[in-house]
Amino acid sequence: MPIPEDVTGEEIDKDVRQELQSLPKTLADDVAKNLVMVARLLDEDPEGAYGYSRVALRLASRVAAVREAAGFAAYATQKYGEALAEFRAAKRMTGNIDLWPVMADCERGLGRPEKALDMAGAPEVHKLDKAGQVEMRLVAAGARRDMGQLDAAIVTLQSPELASNSVQPWTARLRYAYADALLAAGREPEAREWFAKAVEADRDGSTDASDRLAELDGVEFVDALTEDEAETEDDAEVDAEADGEGGDAAEEQKD
C-alpha cells in the first residue's frame, strides 16, 4: 500500500521505535511508516488502517507493537476473532496486562458476554491502572446489557469514579454509559441528568451526549444546508411566477 511522502516513520512512539530496533534498518523504517498510517487512519478510515496493519504484520509479526496495532485495526473493523488473536499474541510477547479490557470486549463482539464477565472478575483486573479498571467496568456493564440484565449493568457502573466530580479522560464515557443504561431501563429523568453530566465532561466530543440530551428535551435539529436549499427553491418559484405575470402583462399590452 502506498505511503504518503510526509510520513517518515519518526512519528511513532519512542517505545515502539525501540522495539523496531531488533529489525534491519530499512525494514524497521518500512514497518514504522505502516504503523504511522494505522494510527493516522484508525478513527476515520478503519478499513484503510486495517490494510496497513496487514502490511506491517507481514513484515514484522514477531514485534509486539505490530501485533497490538494489528489487533486494534481488526477491532475497529469488527473482526473480533482476529483482533483477539492479535491481542493475545501481544500479551504473550510482553506480559503486559493493559489489553485485558479490549480483549474482554472482543469476547462480547464474538457473542460471548459470559466470557467477558469472567475476565472482569479475573485477578488480572487488579493489575490494571485506574483507566484500565474503568474500561473493564464499561465492558462488564456492556456484557450485562448483552445478557438483558439492565439493573445489573446499572449497578456495575455505579462506582467512586462515576460519583467523582473531577473530570478524567474516562469520565464522559462512564457517565454516558450510565445514562444510556438508565434510559434503557426506563428511568428517563435520571438518564437526562447523567447525559447532562456527560456533556459537561465531554470536552473533546468523544460521545454524542449533547445530541442524546437534546433528543430527550424534544429539540429537533434542522440541517441548515437543507433550509438554504429550500429557500433557494422558494425564491426560484417566486421569480418564475413573477416572470410569468410579466409575460402575461406584455401580451395584454400587445392586444
Side-chain angles (χ1 to χ4, degrees):
M1 297 181 69
I3 303 288
E5 291 183 4
D6 65 315
V7 174
T8 66
E10 295 295 330
E11 301 90 340
I12 62 171
D13 185 87
K14 63 179 182 180
D15 292 336
V16 177
R17 169 62 68 178
Q18 191 170 358
E19 272 194 72
L20 296 179
Q21 287 179 357
S22 62
L23 304 174
K25 178 70 166 64
T26 303
L27 180 58
D29 288 343
D30 287 345
V31 174
K33 290 176 182 178
N34 279 282
L35 291 181
V36 170
M37 292 306 298
V38 173
R40 179 180 288 189
L41 298 176
L42 194 60
D43 291 332
E44 296 181 0
D45 180 12
E47 288 292 347
Y50 178 76
Y52 283 104
S53 78
R54 301 310 294 176
V55 175
L57 196 59
R58 189 171 68 247
L59 296 173
S61 62
R62 295 184 179 180
V63 176
V66 170
R67 303 302 289 267
E68 184 173 327
F72 278 110
Y75 178 78
T77 53
Q78 299 183 5
K79 298 176 177 68
Y80 297 116
E82 191 175 315
L84 185 57
E86 297 300 340
F87 289 141
R88 284 174 174 166
K91 179 177 174 293
R92 282 196 304 271
M93 291 175 176
T94 64
N96 194 326
I97 208 67
D98 291 351
L99 294 170
W100 197 253
V102 71
M103 289 168 64
D105 206 40
C106 286
E107 295 286 3
R108 282 187 63 212
L110 290 167
R112 302 193 293 245
E114 297 89 349
K115 178 63 176 173
L117 286 176
D118 287 343
M119 293 179 69
E124 283 85 352
V125 175
H126 300 296
K127 301 175 185 177
L128 295 169
D129 60 13
K130 181 62 69 177
Q133 290 180 5
V134 170
E135 196 64 36
M136 194 70 247
R137 191 178 290 276
L138 288 166
V139 173
R144 291 292 185 190
R145 291 189 62 173
D146 293 343
M147 298 166 70
Q149 300 173 1
L150 281 175
D151 290 340
I154 291 169
V155 171
T156 298
L157 293 168
Q158 291 170 346
S159 60
E161 293 81 19
L162 179 68
S164 175
N165 289 324
S166 67
V167 175
Q168 303 294 336
W170 60 77
T171 303
R173 291 177 59 238
L174 184 58
R175 292 177 179 178
Y176 182 95
Y178 189 57
D180 195 44
L182 288 168
L183 188 61
R187 295 161 62 175
E188 188 171 313
E190 293 170 88
R192 191 208 172 281
E193 176 188 347
W194 281 97
F195 275 127
K197 289 182 178 181
V199 171
E200 291 173 4
D202 195 359
R203 295 166 180 170
D204 58 0
S206 61
T207 73
D208 65 346
S210 58
D211 292 342
R212 299 291 299 278
L213 183 61
E215 185 179 326
L216 284 174
D217 288 343
V219 176
E220 292 185 12
F221 294 100
V222 178
D223 191 330
L225 181 60
T226 304
E227 278 191 344
D228 291 342
E229 289 173 348
E231 288 177 3
T232 301
E233 289 177 3
D234 289 344
D235 291 343
E237 288 176 5
V238 170
D239 291 343
E241 289 175 3
D243 289 343
E245 291 172 359
D248 292 342
E251 289 296 326
E252 289 176 4
Q253 286 180 358
K254 284 181 182 178
D255 294 342

